[in-house]
């Protein structure tokens, strides 16, 4: 895996993606308008974040005892709320309900648009966000993923973490076990400060993952592991907090997204 710095070109491309994005799904095309990114003069006022093409996982029990799902996704107080600036705030308490195969509660959007890993692209998840609270013990939240779907829906694949100011990517190499590739994109990103992320499956067997903060972009490239190439996958994005020892009802992860596109 190669990591490179690009302080101008990649940042401009990410801003362009966030500014005007065509989201295609269900036979419809949505035009998502937003500003995205935090330039030298600070972030501009964003437009509302679109929720078309997503469903929502909540950290509360549904009828089956697992985490409840809202389909199609919609603001659901207090887990997913909208602000006056159009941002979406995701709140995931450390002591909430979990999905069937996870130990950690989440408030997370799940794409309803699957694609084939490494072969059906390009596909990009791009977002502009600020982390405002982390779990008290691990200080770790997964903010974006490529996740398995259909027969491998219990398998996370590419995970982008915010951990105590570090933006770090994990790429699983096998569907079972702990074999993985990990790398750091950025460090020193404070709470409450806006940054940008993107995850791209190019459709030719390669992936690009990047993060931008304060005008600095770090980008990494990797090959889609054979264990996942050709498998159905989807994007997920939100606050998937990773607390191991919850410290009360107020412990957990909180993230505000100003732009999300796929």
């Amino acid at each position: 895996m190669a990591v490179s710095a690009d302080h101008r070109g990649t940042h401009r491309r990410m801003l362009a993606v966030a500014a005007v994005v065509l989201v295609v799904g269900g036979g419809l095309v949505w035009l998502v308008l937003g500003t995205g990114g935090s330039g030298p003069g600070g972030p501009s006022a964003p437009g509302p974040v679109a929720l078309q093409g997503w469903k929502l996982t909540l950290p509360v029990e549904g009828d089956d005892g697992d985490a409840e799902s809202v389909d199609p996704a919609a603001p659901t107080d207090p887990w997913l709320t909208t602000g006056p600036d159009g941002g979406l705030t995701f709140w995931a308490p450390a002591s909430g309900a979990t999905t069937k195969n996870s130990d950690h509660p989440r408030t997370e959007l799940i794409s309803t648009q699957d694609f084939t890993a490494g072969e059906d692209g390009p596909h990009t998840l791009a977002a502009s966000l600020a982390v405002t609270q982390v779990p008290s013990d691990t200080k770790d939240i997964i903010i974006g993923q490529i996740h398995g779907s259909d027969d491998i829906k219990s398998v996370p694949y590419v995970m982008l973490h915010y951990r105590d100011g570090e933006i770090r990517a994990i790429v699983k190499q096998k569907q079972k076990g702990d074999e993985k590739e990990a790398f750091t994109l950025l460090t020193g990103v404070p709470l409450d400060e806006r940054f940008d992320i993107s995850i791209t499956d190019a459709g030719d067997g390669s992936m690009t993952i990047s993060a931008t903060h304060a005008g600095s972009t770090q980008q990494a490239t990797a090959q889609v592991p054979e264990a996942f190439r050709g498998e159905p996958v989807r994007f997920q994005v939100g606050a998937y907090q990773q607390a191991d020892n919850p410290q009360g009802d107020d412990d957990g992860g909180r993230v505000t997204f100003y732009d999300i596109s796929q």
Side-chain angles (χ1 to χ4, degrees), residues 12-254:
R12 288 197 296 269
R13 289 193 296 272
M14 289 179 68
L15 294 181
V17 168
V20 182
V21 180
L22 288 177
V23 183
V24 182
L28 300 176
V29 177
W30 296 283
L31 181 63
V32 182
L33 298 178
T35 53
S38 50
S44 304
V49 177
L51 289 175
Q52 297 97 334
W54 302 93
K55 58 184 178 179
L56 176 66
T57 298
L58 298 177
V60 293
E61 285 190 7
D63 294 338
D64 60 0
D66 295 328
E68 185 176 348
S69 181
V70 177
D71 188 6
T76 308
D77 189 50
W79 321 115
L80 181 64
T81 57
T82 57
D85 59 1
L88 280 174
T89 296
F90 294 69
W91 159 239
S95 57
T98 68
T99 57
K100 185 176 182 180
N101 295 290
S102 176
D103 296 327
H104 301 105
R106 72 185 85 188
T107 299
E108 189 177 40
L109 294 176
I110 299 176
S111 177
T112 58
Q113 305 167 36
D114 291 357
F115 61 95
T116 304
E119 298 178 358
D120 175 26
H123 292 273
T124 296
L125 170 69
S128 181
L129 64 148
V131 176
T132 58
Q133 180 182 344
V134 293
S136 58
D137 58 349
T138 64
K139 300 185 178 356
D140 187 13
I141 303 176
I142 296 175
I143 52 178
Q145 301 189 68
I146 300 179
H147 198 285
S149 188
D150 291 342
D151 291 341
I152 60 167
K153 64 182 180 181
S154 64
V155 182
Y157 166 32
V158 179
M159 293 154 282
L160 197 55
H161 292 250
Y162 175 97
R163 182 170 183 172
D164 200 19
E166 177 189 41
I167 312 298
R168 188 168 187 255
I170 304 292
V171 180
K172 286 179 64 72
Q173 301 299 297
K174 303 290 184 182
Q175 292 187 20
K176 295 182 179 180
D178 296 327
E179 186 178 348
K180 62 188 177 183
E181 194 168 12
F183 58 96
T184 296
L185 291 170
L186 295 173
T187 58
V189 179
L191 290 175
D192 302 314
E193 284 200 12
R194 190 163 158 181
F195 60 95
D196 298 325
I197 58 171
S198 71
I199 306 172
T200 296
D201 182 319
D204 60 1
S206 67
M207 296 185 296
T208 302
I209 307 170
S210 67
T212 299
H213 174 253
S216 176
T217 295
Q218 289 286 342
Q219 178 175 288
T221 58
Q223 294 299 304
V224 175
E226 286 299 321
F228 291 95
R229 187 159 183 169
E231 295 288 348
V233 295
R234 66 198 181 201
F235 290 124
Q236 299 185 187
V237 62
Y240 183 17
Q241 62 77 41
Q242 300 291 294
D244 291 329
N245 298 292
Q247 302 296 309
D249 293 340
D250 294 332
D251 194 13
R254 196 181 306 269

